[in-house]
Amino acid sequence: MHRGLRRDALRNQQRILAAAREVFGEYGADAAMEEIASRAGVGVGTVYRRFASKDALIDELLRLALSDLLADADLALARTDGFGLHELLGAFGRSFGEHARYANLLLQRQPDAAAELAIRAAITELTRRAVAAGTVSQDITVADVTALASALRGLIHGGGEVTARTWQRFLDLHLAGMGSPPARR
Amino acid sequence: MHRGLRRDALRNQQRILAAAREVFGEYGADAAMEEIASRAGVGVGTVYRRFASKDALIDELLRLALSDLLADADLALARTDGFGLHELLGAFGRSFGEHARYANLLLQRQPDAAAELAIRAAITELTRRAVAAGTVSQDITVADVTALASALRGLIHGGGEVTARTWQRFLDLHLAGMGSPPARR
DNA sequence: GCGGTAGCGGAATCGTCATTCCGCTTACGG
DNA sequence: CCGTAAGCGGAATGACGATTCCGCTACCGC
């Protein structure tokens, strides 16, 4: 008996995920499963053996993306200098940029509740620390930070190409407005 | 002969537009024409007599929204105190909020080129004036402003409900980061 | 009121997918 | 090497939804 998938099946699974990112990035939710399959070099049947449905495939992409983000959140929480919040926001920017092409798709489904909760908790804790350390103004709240995160997402996933330099500049300006010292980061 | 539409036809057209806003807001691009028709109290045939296709219907919604925004841009350009830029950004927020439910749909098509050009021109001119008047820092560029507009859009159209208070607070914080005097508006 | 045309409704048509099914292949433990 | 179950491909099925078509209706000008 096997423990996991046969080697070829595992390879195909990876190819399918990569093709799905590509195709969803190009066509959004309207992407056809046939297109994903052919782009991955397999038949549709193979896609369906691995992922129960189109929705399940999208959910898996979301799960993978959130998993990366959670790792970043842990890194930010490890900092003790009051700039963990700044780091987390930077991680958001990076993640949004990475998944930019198909991100709008992911955002339309409710994420894994546990992951979302963990991220919210990280934001709350890091905001508390930043206020305490004086790395943002006293009057900054969690709501301000989530609004910023949401706006950052909108900026990056919005219309055209947004370079890292663009969103970093945006983030810097906003953090300045939040009372962050110039020597942040 | 008639100059325009028959009175009942005109009424139906308005109902269709209203229903379309409603239904597109609920289901996004996947909204069914049948649903729009029944919500408007007419048959699908009637919808198609007025709008050549689903795309044409969406385009008309976009055209109407842009038309409002252009009027706001003109108002902002009429100011001479250097705060026209602030006013335009506020108008963006208002407009985004107004069309929030179905806005994502509109944003996925390329807007009327002329309207887009006019808005870009207004942003450019108002940014120039704001820098000259010192109502934002010297180093603020048009790119910074368009990024802010894009982010504002993302904030409002993103996930859940965003009240006017929320996006105004966001805008204030960002403008502060841009060096706007506290007594803005 | 009347005639005629602009309008109307909604069944029928045509395509486009998601998903299923099953006979054929291939990896791999022994 | 072999047997066999895991995998595979892709045609077939079923829904759904945009768009068309045409016989019927109700405004509008006179």
Side-chain angles (χ1 to χ4, degrees):
Chain A
M1 283 301 102
H2 287 272
R3 185 47 57 142
L5 293 173
R6 234 163 62 175
R7 201 164 309 170
D8 56 341
L10 201 59
R11 196 187 56 230
N12 281 338
Q13 185 177 43
Q14 294 309 314
R15 284 187 185 168
I16 290 168
L17 286 171
R21 290 198 179 89
E22 208 178 287
V23 177
F24 281 133
E26 281 172 44
Y27 302 97
D30 293 344
M33 293 297 266
E34 299 259 19
E35 175 68 16
I36 293 173
S38 87
R39 197 90 64 115
V42 303
V44 273
T46 301
V47 176
Y48 278 92
R49 184 154 319 86
R50 221 45 73 210
F51 304 97
S53 68
K54 189 175 179 176
D55 275 353
L57 174 54
I58 297 173
D59 282 342
E60 179 62 9
L61 291 179
L62 176 58
R63 206 183 58 69
L64 291 171
L66 278 178
S67 157
D68 283 354
L69 202 51
L70 282 176
D72 287 334
D74 282 341
L75 280 182
L77 282 167
R79 289 181 73 146
T80 55
D81 60 358
F83 285 97
L85 181 61
H86 298 58
E87 178 165 333
L88 180 62
L89 287 166
F92 278 176
R94 228 173 302 125
S95 172
F96 293 152
E98 231 161 78
H99 308 292
R101 303 240 62 84
Y102 61 98
N104 281 319
L105 198 62
L106 302 189
L107 291 163
Q108 274 174 276
R109 43 199 67 228
Q110 56 207 112
D112 170 3
E116 181 169 12
L117 214 62
I119 290 177
R120 280 191 191 292
I123 290 177
T124 304
E125 172 61 13
L126 290 171
T127 302
R128 202 184 54 63
R129 288 193 207 165
V131 168
T135 52
V136 298
S137 301
Q138 296 282 314
D139 69 336
I140 295 303
T141 67
V142 170
D144 291 325
V145 177
T146 55
L148 170 54
S150 188
L152 190 57
R153 168 168 101 39
L155 168 60
I156 295 174
H157 296 156
E161 299 301 306
V162 174
T163 65
R165 229 174 129 284
T166 301
W167 66 255
Q168 263 161 1
R169 161 82 172 161
F170 168 82
L171 189 51
D172 282 352
L173 282 175
H174 200 92
L175 283 169
M178 284 178 157
S180 175
R184 60 192 99 86
R185 269 215 158 208
Chain B
M1 281 306 101
H2 287 274
R3 186 48 58 139
L5 293 172
R6 233 163 63 179
R7 198 164 311 172
D8 56 342
L10 202 59
R11 194 188 57 230
N12 282 337
Q13 185 177 42
Q14 295 308 314
R15 283 187 185 167
I16 290 167
L17 285 171
R21 291 197 179 89
E22 207 178 288
V23 177
F24 281 133
E26 281 173 43
Y27 302 97
D30 292 344
M33 293 297 264
E34 299 260 20
E35 175 69 17
I36 293 173
S38 87
R39 198 90 64 112
V42 303
V44 273
T46 302
V47 176
Y48 278 93
R49 184 156 319 85
R50 222 42 76 211
F51 304 95
S53 67
K54 190 175 179 176
D55 275 354
L57 175 54
I58 297 174
D59 282 341
E60 179 62 9
L61 291 179
L62 176 58
R63 205 183 59 69
L64 292 171
L66 277 179
S67 155
D68 284 353
L69 202 50
L70 282 176
D72 287 334
D74 282 341
L75 280 184
L77 282 166
R79 288 181 74 146
T80 55
D81 60 357
F83 285 97
L85 181 62
H86 298 58
E87 179 165 332
L88 181 60
L89 286 166
F92 278 174
R94 227 172 304 124
S95 173
F96 294 151
E98 228 161 79
H99 308 291
R101 303 240 61 83
Y102 61 98
N104 282 318
L105 198 62
L106 302 189
L107 291 164
Q108 274 173 279
R109 42 198 70 227
Q110 56 207 117
D112 172 2
E116 181 169 12
L117 213 62
I119 290 178
R120 280 190 191 293
I123 290 178
T124 303
E125 172 61 13
L126 290 170
T127 302
R128 202 184 55 63
R129 287 194 208 164
V131 167
T135 51
V136 298
S137 302
Q138 295 282 314
D139 70 335
I140 295 302
T141 68
V142 170
D144 291 325
V145 177
T146 54
L148 171 53
S150 188
L152 190 57
R153 169 168 99 39
L155 167 61
I156 295 173
H157 296 157
E161 299 302 305
V162 174
T163 65
R165 231 177 127 284
T166 300
W167 65 256
Q168 262 161 2
R169 161 82 173 161
F170 167 83
L171 189 51
D172 282 351
L173 282 174
H174 200 91
L175 283 169
M178 285 178 157
S180 175
R184 60 194 98 89
R185 269 209 160 217

